[in-house]
C-alpha cells in the first residue's frame, strides 16, 4: 500500500512520467507540467495532514489490518495491527491483543470494508473500542488521506 505515503506515490508518478512520452507519445512538457501540479498538490496534502496530526498529539493508532503502515511510517506514527501478515489471530493471540488494546489507552480501531463482521463484533465486545471505517483503496486519494488523519486525530469527528 505504498500509495498511502504521499512521497512514495510521487516517486511512482515520477517513474511513470519518465516513460509516458516514449510509451504513449505524450508531450514531455505536458507530462512535466502535470507532474509539477501533482507535486504541489501532494505537498499541500502532506502539510495539512502533518498539521492535523501535530494538533492531536497522537503518536499511534490501532488498525485491524496492517495496510496503513506506509502512512504511519511517513507521518511518524506507530501502527498496531490486530491481524499480522493477513493471518487471522487465534484465541490466545486475540486475548493478548485485547489486553494490549486496554493497556494502550486506544480509543478506536481502524477497520476496512469487507471484514468479517462476526470477528469484529467479538473484538468490539471484548475490547470495548470504537471502530472507524476507512478504506485504503478509496479512489478520492486526497480526501481519503485527510480522512485517515482526521480519524487518527479525533475518531469521534
Amino acid at each position: 500500500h505504498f500509495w498511502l505515503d504521499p512521497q512514495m506515490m510521487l516517486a511512482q508518478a515520477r517513474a511513470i512520467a519518465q516513460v509516458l512520452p516514449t510509451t504513449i507519445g505524450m508531450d514531455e512538457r505536458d507530462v512535466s507540467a502535470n507532474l509539477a501540479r501533482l507535486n504541489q498538490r501532494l505537498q499541500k496534502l502532506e502539510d495539512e495532514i502533518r498539521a492535523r496530526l501535530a494538533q492531536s498529539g497522537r503518536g499511534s493508532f490501532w488498525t485491524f489490518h496492517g495496510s496503513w503502515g506506509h502512512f504511519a511510517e511517513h507521518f511518524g506514527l506507530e501502527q498496531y495491527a490486530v491481524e499480522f501478515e493477513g493471518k487471522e489471530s487465534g484465541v490466545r493471540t486475540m486475548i493478548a491483543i485485547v489486553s494490549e488494546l486496554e493497556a494502550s489507552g486506544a480509543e478506536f480501531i481502524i477497520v476496512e470494508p469487507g471484514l468479517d463482521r462476526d470477528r469484529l463484533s467479538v473484538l468490539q465486545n471484548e475490547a470495548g473500542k470504537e471502530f472507524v471505517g476507512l478504506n485504503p483503496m478509496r479512489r478520492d486519494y486526497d480526501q481519503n488521506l485527510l480522512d485517515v488523519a482526521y480519524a487518527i486525530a479525533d475518531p469521534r469527528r
Side-chain angles (χ1 to χ4, degrees):
H1 295 79
F2 71 85
W3 57 88
L4 298 175
D5 172 338
Q7 291 306 308
M8 286 183 152
M9 177 68 138
L10 185 58
Q12 290 297 314
R14 285 182 181 129
I16 292 167
Q18 286 182 331
V19 299
L20 283 177
T22 56
T23 310
I24 61 172
M26 282 187 74
D27 183 278
E28 285 184 43
R29 291 174 302 221
D30 290 341
V31 171
S32 238
N34 287 338
L35 190 57
R37 279 192 294 279
L38 177 63
N39 185 34
Q40 268 187 315
R41 190 180 103 205
L42 291 179
Q43 189 58 58
K44 181 181 174 200
L45 174 65
E46 187 170 327
D47 291 347
E48 191 170 344
I49 290 169
R50 285 192 188 285
R52 182 61 184 150
L53 291 172
Q55 288 173 354
S56 78
R58 281 192 198 274
S60 66
F61 64 97
W62 277 82
T63 178
F64 195 83
H65 181 272
S67 59
W68 302 97
H70 289 296
F71 180 91
E73 186 176 332
H74 183 73
F75 291 105
L77 301 168
E78 189 73 36
Q79 170 190 257
Y80 299 100
V82 173
E83 275 188 344
F84 182 70
E85 295 180 353
K87 298 176 184 152
E88 287 189 23
S89 302
V91 174
R92 274 188 256 177
T93 304
M94 287 301 280
I95 290 170
I97 287 169
V98 167
S99 293
E100 284 181 50
L101 272 164
E102 290 170 350
S104 75
E107 299 172 40
F108 64 97
I109 302 169
I110 294 173
V111 296
E112 296 176 20
L115 291 175
D116 180 351
R117 288 287 157 197
D118 291 335
R119 286 184 64 213
L120 290 178
S121 66
V122 168
L123 181 61
Q124 191 170 34
N125 289 340
E126 292 300 316
K129 306 300 176 190
E130 295 297 317
F131 288 151
V132 176
L134 296 167
N135 183 353
M137 306 283 280
R138 202 169 101 196
R139 290 179 188 240
D140 184 0
Y141 182 78
D142 295 21
Q143 191 59 52
N144 192 31
L145 291 189
L146 285 172
D147 287 350
V148 174
Y150 275 83
I152 292 169
D154 183 7
R156 288 177 213 84
R157 178 181 169 267

